[in-house]
Structure formats: structure tokens, C-alpha cells
Amino acid sequence: MPRRGGPIEKRAISNVQKVLAVSSGKGGVGKSTVAVNLAFSLSSLRDPTTDTRLRVGILDLDIFGPSVPTLMGLQESGEPELTEVGALRPLVNHGLPTMSMGYLLPRAPDTDSTHDTPVVWRGLMVQKAVQQLLFDVDWSLGQKGTGLDVLVVDMPPGTGDVPLTLGQLVKVDGALIVSTPQDVALADVRKGIAMLRKISVPIKGLLLNNSHYLCPICAPSSSSPTTHPPHYLFGSPERFRSTAARLGIPVLAELPLVPGVSAAGDRGVPYGLVDRVWREPEDGLGGMEWIEGMAGVASSLWEALNTSNTQ
């Protein structure tokens, strides 16, 4: 509906320098896993102006299916504390402050987890919850004059109330779009990109998840004895590449399918923190490629967030 006062003016999130949305029009492409591991990789970078590591937080905006509590090992944590002015204090693990609707849901009497607590809300209640998560969280972490360099926002799938509320109310500095190779995923990704562009969210890059599989026990390639041939379990990445070229969006990485990434997420540990003694025998070259690829994505996005270029 048209508003008499004109369009809503976007505003910044308090104590946050840059807002980075991790989005996809399709569910089940590993977006939340990418968001958590991207935040961890970003926190390993240093700000060249201060020579200090980046301060990074994670905001889970998936109201109906929050995954960050599980991926960060906080699914059985208590409810967030409140500041003196009633703002929510983020929950911290692995050095990363996080906030999610999963922390705020009521718990069943016989468990400390909210895994089985459904969110059965209509649109207006969802918008209210999103606005609270956006503007009623204290990202200063109790340290006056400081805050986050980057807030990574894990978006829900689709093009509904939540992404629209974020895009219309918040100054989003960039978005990373995650997809898998299948046509059914790419179709929804194109819709998601069109929606983000319509609400003026700059898209900084595309990431192809589960692009290929590097078998750790298969015979090496005859042409390159030190490498293993990739197996394209979900189809060729060519359709993804052609979509990116047609839309004029850079491809930041094509990450392999690595079983250890999923296993680490189930344990609530970013994959980069998994001990190499356990990681390498299980995942082989795929695990190394995944970590190096995610580190490259973090570097590219930090550079892109600090430029004025928009899509």
C-alpha cells in the first residue's frame, strides 16, 4: 500500500558497521552452514586500518526454521539476558556472538532444547519478530564505543515477509547468494536475486555449494597423479556459471561436497575448527579445498563490502 509519508527510510543496525546477508531463494542448499562458516572465516581476517581481527556476529532471521543454534552448539542454551534498556544480549560460542529466534522460543517441560517447538504465526507476528531481532539486540557486547565490523545475516528461503522486511528497513551493504547445481535450485535463486535487486540490496557474489565431490580413496587422475577427478553428483556446474554470467554477478567459489562439514555442523562446530587429524582422513583434499574456498570468499566479500560498487 502507498504510504503518505513516502518510502520507508532505511536505517543502520546499532553497533554494526557492515551488514552482509547470506541468501538463496531455495531451501536446503546449505545456506545456514555457509553463513556460520563464512562468519568464522571473516573473524580470522584483520582490518588493515587497525591491524585487529574483525569483530563478526551472526543474526539468524529464519523465524520458522532457525538453524544457527544447532550449528553454533547453542541449541540447549538458556534464553538471552536483557540489558538495562531491555535489549537482547547475544549468545556467544567459538568467539562469535549470535542471535536467533531459536533462543527465544518456549521449551518443553521435559527438555532444554527448542528443537521441537514450532512457530505458528501469521505475517504481522513474523514482521514484529524480525524487527525485534534487527533493532533490539545489543551488538556492542557490553563494550562502550565498539561493536561489530560485520553482521552476517542468515536469511530464510523464499521471497516473503522476512527478506522484504530486512531490505526495506535496513541498510544492507551486500548479499551473498548460495545455490546448488540443480536447475530447480537455480530457478529459485534467480527469483531471489530479482527480489533483492528490486529492494536495492547490492549482490556481491554467488557461491555454488556441493559443486562436486573429491573421493578420498578413488584413483588419482592419469593426467594429474596428485589430484583426484571431481564427481559431479548433482549435475554439471555449467548451468550455474552461465546463470552467473548472464546476471553479471561474480562467482566467488565452487565448494565441494564434504561430509565432515555436515558432521561438524551437527556437533555445533565451524568446520575450520575441526582438528586436521580428524578432518583430513575423512574428507581428504575436499576438506582442504572447502576451507581454502571459504577463506577466499571471506576475503573477497570483505573487500567488496568496503567498496562503493553495487550490483
Side-chain angles (χ1 to χ4, degrees), residues 33 37 67 69-73 259-271 274:
T33 298
N37 283 275
S67 300
T70 298
L71 295 171
M72 289 296 293
V261 173
S262 176
D266 288 342
R267 297 196 305 271
V269 180
Y271 189 59
V274 177

Side-chain angles (χ1 to χ4, degrees), residues 16 87 147 175 220 238:
V16 173
E238 289 303 321

Side-chain angles (χ1 to χ4, degrees), residues 8-265:
I8 302 173
E9 184 177 354
K10 297 183 181 182
R11 58 186 171 125
I13 296 177
S14 181
N15 296 302
V16 173
Q17 296 297 318
K18 302 290 183 181
V19 177
L20 173 64
V22 179
S23 180
S24 174
K26 187 69 175 176
V29 298
K31 172 177 47 54
S32 296
T33 298
V34 167
V36 166
N37 283 275
L38 174 60
F40 177 74
S41 293
L42 282 167
S43 71
S44 300
L45 301 178
R46 288 186 174 274
D47 186 340
T49 60
T50 61
D51 196 34
T52 58
R53 289 179 58 173
L54 298 183
R55 299 181 300 271
V56 184
I58 307 171
L59 175 59
D60 184 357
L61 279 190
D62 194 340
I63 303 299
F64 296 102
S67 300
V68 166
T70 298
L71 295 171
M72 289 296 293
L74 293 168
Q75 67 271 33
E76 294 184 359
S77 63
E79 292 186 1
E81 297 178 351
L82 299 178
T83 67
E84 294 179 356
V85 296
L88 296 165
R89 294 189 191 275
L91 300 182
V92 181
N93 199 12
H94 309 304
L96 296 174
T98 70
M99 182 51 61
S100 170
M101 178 55 63
Y103 304 146
L104 305 174
L105 297 175
R107 289 158 173 76
D110 58 343
T111 179
D112 290 330
S113 173
T114 61
H115 274 178
D116 299 328
T117 305
V119 176
V120 188
W121 290 347
R122 295 187 182 274
L124 289 177
M125 295 181 68
V126 174
Q127 292 179 34
K128 177 72 173 178
V130 171
Q131 291 183 42
Q132 182 180 15
L133 291 173
L134 288 174
F135 301 118
D136 293 342
V137 179
D138 179 16
W139 294 110
S140 71
L141 306 180
Q143 302 178 16
K144 187 175 181 180
T146 64
L148 300 180
D149 295 298
V150 184
L151 177 63
V152 177
V153 182
D154 180 24
M155 301 291 290
T159 56
D161 288 340
V162 176
L164 283 174
T165 301
L166 175 72
Q168 291 174 343
L169 298 183
V170 175
K171 295 177 181 178
V172 181
D173 298 281
L176 173 68
I177 309 299
V178 181
S179 182
T180 50
Q182 302 96 322
D183 284 341
V184 67
L186 288 172
D188 286 347
V189 163
R190 290 193 295 269
K191 296 173 185 176
I193 291 172
M195 181 210 66
L196 291 175
R197 285 177 163 170
K198 193 169 185 178
I199 56 178
S200 302
V201 172
I203 300 170
K204 299 299 185 181
L206 285 167
L207 183 149
L208 183 61
N209 197 26
N210 297 341
S211 168
H212 54 280
Y213 176 63
L214 297 176
C215 174
I217 61 173
C218 296
S221 170
S222 58
S223 59
S224 181
T226 61
T227 63
H228 299 283
H231 300 277
Y232 298 108
L233 303 181
F234 303 115
S236 169
E238 289 303 321
R239 292 187 294 271
F240 170 82
R241 295 169 184 167
S242 62
T243 298
R246 186 170 66 254
L247 295 173
I249 303 174
V251 176
L252 301 186
E254 297 181 7
L255 299 181
L257 171 64
V258 178
V261 173
S262 176

